[in-house]
Amino acid sequence: MNLSDIIAAGGAGGDGAAGGATPGGREPEAPQQRAGIRYDHWGRREVPMYAHDTTRDEPWPVGLVSYKYAVTVQKWPASWVIGQIGEISMRRAGSVYMTLRDLDEDVSVNVVGFGEFAHACADLQLRQGDKIVMYGKPDIWQKETRLSIKGMEVYRLGEGDLAARIEQLRRKLKGEGLFDAENKVPLPEFPRCIGLICAPQSRAETDVEKNALLRWPVIRFKKRYAKVQGPECPQQVTAAIRELDADPDVDVIIVARGGGSFEDLLGFSDEGVVRATAACRTPIVSAIGHEDDWTLIELAADYRATTPTGAAMAVVPDVNEQWDTIAAARHSIDVIMERIVRVQETTLDGYLHNPLLTNPATMLDPMEAQLHMDRERLGNAMLRLVDWGQGAIERNKATLRALSPQSTLERGYAIVQSHDGHVVQDPDDVPDGSELTLVVSRGTIRATKTGGRHTAPAAQASATGDPAEDGPAGGPAEDSSAEDGE
């Protein structure tokens, strides 16, 4: 049976080691051997020993091809190799995987190492961009027929030119304040529209859109496709950021790309991209590569997500968590309202059983008693005021009465007035024969002066012994003839 017959019968001309039974359970028939051709056994089949003897009807299985390559590569000599680390992974202890790139050309080779080589890489703290020189031997991983260099010794030569330039740019932009925390814009809590910058039909686009819609089904997208590696990447990404930032419908921007080598991600460390990110007024999220990858756009972005999926989870809330939050809030409101109602019911019940409310008139009793007391105190105070006023009046009347000239006249004194009504104090002031008027307590007396004698007030007071008798007339008139008057 030849190969065409095997294919037609549904068989597979694969690796004999995997079993070459046909669907009917029969072993595939070996092709008829050609004369002069040497054959060898591979699994349960006989195959040509040399590659130039293979034909369409007598091919080599894939496993044999990989094995032949591995045997051939094992004969290649080990060599010293110089290059720049494009990407490196040392996640598992005792093993290291890296991509070593040529310093001048766009050529790379895979490097694997175990044991002492892996520990040496860890001790040197090798990272992307480092220049190294290593000693290794070519090796084939037969499962995928992948060619690599199996490392045995490694030495660092210094940081690569690209890494040094990026570090220099990072320090420059940091000095300008583009990475300062106070310039970061917080992400919106409930965005309505996401601006997505990614490669068309990329895994990053699918991851962001799928996870965002699962968490928040009402979210909308405005996508701007751009090249995410190569020389055109910085210009297209910068233009996309500025375009979405100017769109008023966009609430947050995500710049997403899957993983890649150090050189593949260089476009996101471009100065123009970083400056556009820092100047973006709309909150912007970077989701470039994997967790171990780093670019300068991450330092300028408002939020750095380790993966595109992480960016979607950071930007939109989880609808289920929001429903749980609403349910918890409603339950808390119900509990609080129930507590308030119970308190108000207790307060109302207290009011209903309060004696002051059941018999409101009792509220007036204290005020009525106070009013009676105030009225009594007011009456007593008024009586005391009246008594004091009456006493003051009597005292003032007695004082006035004692000081009244009428009282003096009632004691027998008189006031002597001249004919023109002036009070006579000195007898010499009135000539003899002048008419005088004597005012006494019950009327007046007409008199005529016939003579008189001047007496000093002090002597007169001494003679009479009563100062009050020293009146305006100087005592009773002497040597005068009195007439009845009014």
Side-chain angles (χ1 to χ4, degrees):
M1 179 181 291
N2 57 24
L3 182 61
S4 301
D5 297 333
I6 295 175
I7 296 174
D15 188 356
T22 62
R26 295 180 291 106
E27 293 291 335
E29 297 180 3
Q32 185 176 0
Q33 295 185 356
R34 290 175 288 163
I37 302 299
R38 297 182 61 182
Y39 288 87
D40 195 3
H41 285 276
W42 180 259
R44 288 173 289 179
R45 296 183 58 183
E46 284 189 349
V47 294
M49 183 176 295
Y50 301 107
H52 58 79
D53 291 330
T54 59
T55 65
R56 176 180 176 183
D57 293 331
E58 295 181 338
W60 276 355
V62 174
L64 178 58
V65 173
S66 179
Y67 169 76
K68 291 287 187 180
Y69 288 174
V71 171
T72 301
V73 169
Q74 287 176 359
K75 298 177 182 178
W76 295 355
S79 62
W80 286 94
V81 182
I82 185 173
Q84 182 178 10
I85 298 177
E87 54 183 317
I88 184 169
S89 173
M90 292 186 287
R91 296 180 181 177
R92 296 179 181 178
S95 62
V96 61
Y97 302 89
M98 70 174 73
T99 300
L100 194 61
R101 291 184 174 270
D102 189 87
L103 299 178
D104 301 316
E105 301 180 11
D106 188 14
V107 180
S108 62
V109 63
N110 293 328
V111 177
V112 298
F114 307 96
E116 295 183 359
F117 182 83
H119 293 307
C121 292
D123 294 339
L124 292 174
Q125 297 181 354
L126 296 180
R127 58 188 179 88
Q128 289 178 333
D130 287 349
K131 286 182 181 179
I132 63 171
V133 60
M134 59 164 290
Y135 184 74
K137 192 176 187 309
D139 183 66
I140 287 285
W141 184 31
Q142 295 187 42
K143 186 174 182 180
E144 295 184 2
T145 318
R146 182 182 299 172
L147 176 65
S148 60
I149 298 178
K150 187 174 183 180
M152 291 179 280
E153 294 184 48
V154 62
Y155 301 93
R156 184 203 297 270
L157 296 180
E159 294 184 346
D161 295 337
L162 290 176
R165 289 200 300 268
I166 292 177
E167 178 62 20
Q168 183 179 4
L169 178 60
R170 184 192 70 81
R171 294 176 181 176
K172 171 187 172 182
L173 298 180
K174 181 179 180 181
E176 296 180 13
L178 268 64
F179 306 150
D180 292 347
E182 54 266 21
N183 296 331
K184 307 297 183 183
V185 180
L187 300 182
E189 188 173 4
F190 299 102
R192 296 170 296 178
C193 180
I194 296 176
L196 179 59
I197 302 174
C198 60
Q201 299 179 351
S202 62
R203 180 67 178 272
E205 177 186 6
T206 303
D207 289 346
V208 172
E209 189 172 10
K210 175 183 176 182
N211 287 279
L213 289 174
L214 284 175
R215 290 173 60 86
W216 201 246
V218 297
I219 195 67
R220 296 183 295 111
F221 288 91
K222 285 193 175 183
K223 302 176 183 178
R224 296 295 181 270
Y225 294 119
K227 291 188 176 181
V228 293
Q229 70 181 64
E232 298 179 3
C233 171
Q235 181 180 359
Q236 294 187 10
V237 172
T238 300
I241 291 175
R242 291 173 178 170
E243 183 178 355
L244 291 176
D245 187 30
D247 192 334
D249 294 335
V250 176
D251 298 315
V252 62
I253 300 173
I254 297 178
V255 183
R257 187 202 189 281
S261 66
F262 179 76
E263 287 79 3
D264 292 340
L265 304 180
L266 282 178
F268 296 96
S269 294
D270 181 80
E271 183 174 358
V273 173
V274 177
R275 290 190 181 276
T277 302
C280 186
R281 293 170 296 178
T282 306
I284 187 168
V285 177
S286 68
I288 308 301
H290 301 300
E291 185 172 0
D292 294 338
D293 299 325
W294 67 274
T295 56
L296 293 185
I297 191 177
E298 301 170 0
L299 303 178
D302 299 308
Y303 182 86
R304 188 242 180 189
T306 56
T307 61
T309 300
M313 297 179 65
V315 165
V316 296
D318 187 351
V319 64
N320 296 321
E321 293 179 359
Q322 297 301 317
W323 279 120
D324 293 341
T325 301
I326 293 173
R330 293 183 62 179
H331 176 70
S332 299
I333 292 174
D334 292 341
V335 172
I336 294 173
M337 291 301 298
E338 184 179 356
R339 186 182 303 117
I340 292 175
V341 170
R342 287 201 302 268
V343 171
Q344 296 300 323
E345 287 179 347
T346 303
T347 303
L348 180 60
D349 185 68
Y351 288 154
L352 293 175
H353 294 84
N354 192 324
L356 297 178
L357 295 180
T358 55
N359 185 14
T362 56
M363 292 188 294
L364 302 177
D365 293 342
M367 291 181 281
E368 184 178 6
Q370 184 66 36
L371 181 60
H372 287 315
M373 292 177 59
D374 292 341
R375 289 180 63 182
E376 184 177 356
R377 292 172 58 189
L378 181 59
N380 294 334
M382 291 300 295
L383 290 177
R384 286 194 296 272
L385 287 175
V386 171
D387 291 342
W388 182 84
Q390 289 179 347
I393 292 173
E394 293 298 332
R395 289 191 298 273
N396 291 334
K397 285 175 64 177
T399 301
L400 291 175
R401 190 177 295 113
L403 298 176
S404 174
Q406 183 67 28
S407 299
T408 303
L409 295 177
E410 288 178 354
R411 289 201 301 272
Y413 289 88
I415 298 174
V416 180
Q417 296 178 338
S418 63
H419 67 281
D420 54 3
H422 289 86
V423 177
V424 177
Q425 296 181 348
D426 189 349
D428 295 336
D429 293 339
V430 181
D432 292 340
S434 299
E435 293 184 358
L436 303 173
T437 301
L438 280 66
V439 180
V440 294
S441 63
R442 296 184 182 180
T444 59
I445 301 173
R446 299 289 182 178
T448 302
K449 179 185 177 185
T450 59
R453 186 183 53 176
H454 182 272
T455 304
Q460 183 179 8
S462 178
T464 58
D466 188 356
E469 295 178 356
D470 246 355
E478 298 180 359
D479 301 329
S480 61
S481 59
E483 297 180 357
D484 291 336
E486 298 177 356

